[in-house]
Amino acid sequence: MLDYKIHTYDDAIQVINEIGFLPLAQLIPNVPSLDSITSKEHWHTGSELDPWLWRAKFPRDGVAAYGKFIKKKSVLISCELLPVIRAILGSPLSVNERYQDGLVSREAIELYALISENEGIDTRVLRVQAGMKDKAMKKPFDHALLELQGSMDIVVSGTKAKTNEAGEENGWSSTSFETMEYWAEKNKIGETTIEIDDAKMKLKDHFASFCSPETMKVINKIFKL
């Protein structure tokens, strides 16, 4: 594994920019993850050294796209590498076109429409607006969000604190979402114009520059390279 040990948010930005791809927890053998390169004692402390808080700051600052893009696991992707991975995992067809072709679930298309109309929407608000607040609808709701992240149609834009009527923070923060198109345009990344074969070659060359042949076998399988 690449030998990193970081302490600050700025350190983490340097790692993301260098390797381009950083899961929150270990996803690929011998590829760094945020929890493997930071001190466990700082997690969930609420301090400026808390990597759990950084995860929402990266997308908010436009440092990296953040979401459950790979195997339903949370990962950070640098702005430089994003168009390449998006060309591989995403689709040249719009969400609506894929829905018409039966490739997108009804729940996912409904959530995507709501997120498009309310960029940066709080998950709690999204669930209410989608009419999926009932306990029985939690699983379909979560699955639809995973579906949209896995196809890189939406991205986590940050977190929003729960507040009471007086405007005071009261309870756990919740995730907020934006469409990938909106997030990419906002952060001046541009559209994905890379052909999928070229994208796969670029990604393979990128990982091969610091990964062992054994690790590359896992990467090839994950990204179907």
Side-chain angles (χ1 to χ4, degrees):
M1 181 183 289
L2 295 177
D3 187 20
Y4 290 107
K5 203 64 183 178
I6 65 170
H7 303 283
T8 68
Y9 177 68
D10 287 340
D11 291 340
I13 291 175
Q14 290 183 12
V15 173
I16 292 171
N17 288 337
E18 184 174 337
I19 65 177
F21 179 88
L22 187 68
L24 253 63
Q26 187 180 39
L27 178 63
I28 302 171
N30 300 315
V31 170
S33 58
L34 188 60
D35 70 345
S36 73
I37 63 175
T38 52
S39 299
K40 289 180 173 54
E41 64 190 39
H42 293 310
W43 281 76
H44 306 292
T45 59
S47 75
E48 64 178 14
L49 299 178
D50 184 354
W52 183 246
L53 298 183
W54 300 349
R55 85 196 193 287
K57 189 170 171 58
F58 293 125
R60 199 165 57 236
D61 291 349
V63 171
Y66 172 54
K68 294 183 177 180
F69 304 130
I70 312 289
K71 298 178 71 172
K72 301 179 181 180
K73 304 296 183 183
S74 297
V75 300
L76 294 152
I77 302 173
S78 71
C79 294
E80 182 179 356
L81 205 60
L82 181 62
V84 175
I85 293 181
R86 193 178 170 198
I88 296 169
L89 299 182
S91 171
L93 300 177
S94 70
V95 179
N96 286 327
E97 287 171 327
R98 279 177 279 143
Y99 176 69
Q100 293 299 324
D101 290 340
L103 302 175
V104 173
S105 69
R106 179 180 57 82
E107 291 84 3
I109 191 73
E110 290 176 355
L111 293 188
Y112 184 80
L114 287 169
I115 294 170
S116 299
E117 294 165 4
N118 303 274
E119 299 285 2
I121 188 170
D122 183 316
T123 308
R124 288 179 291 239
V125 176
L126 177 62
R127 193 171 169 188
V128 171
Q129 291 192 3
M132 302 176 77
K133 190 178 179 181
D134 291 346
K135 187 176 180 180
M137 295 303 295
K138 185 179 187 308
K139 195 170 183 179
F141 178 79
D142 290 343
H143 281 177
L145 286 178
L146 284 172
E147 179 183 345
L148 291 169
Q149 289 172 83
S151 54
M152 302 196 77
D153 291 305
I154 63 172
V155 60
V156 174
S157 57
T159 56
K160 293 186 178 179
K162 185 179 181 182
T163 57
N164 59 22
E165 292 180 358
E168 302 165 333
E169 289 193 18
N170 178 29
W172 294 101
S173 296
S174 65
T175 305
S176 55
F177 287 97
E178 293 175 351
T179 62
M180 180 64 81
E181 286 79 7
Y182 181 86
W183 189 88
E185 182 179 353
K186 181 173 65 176
N187 292 292
K188 300 178 174 59
I189 294 172
E191 296 182 13
T192 301
T193 56
I194 306 171
E195 293 292 333
I196 188 166
D197 288 341
D198 291 339
K200 287 184 175 183
M201 186 63 67
K202 286 178 182 291
L203 192 63
K204 182 177 286 190
D205 289 345
H206 171 78
F207 279 118
S209 67
F210 61 88
C211 292
S212 68
E214 291 74 21
T215 299
M216 286 304 300
K217 290 179 182 178
V218 178
I219 291 169
N220 290 342
K221 184 176 181 180
I222 288 176
F223 292 100
K224 296 180 173 61
L225 301 179

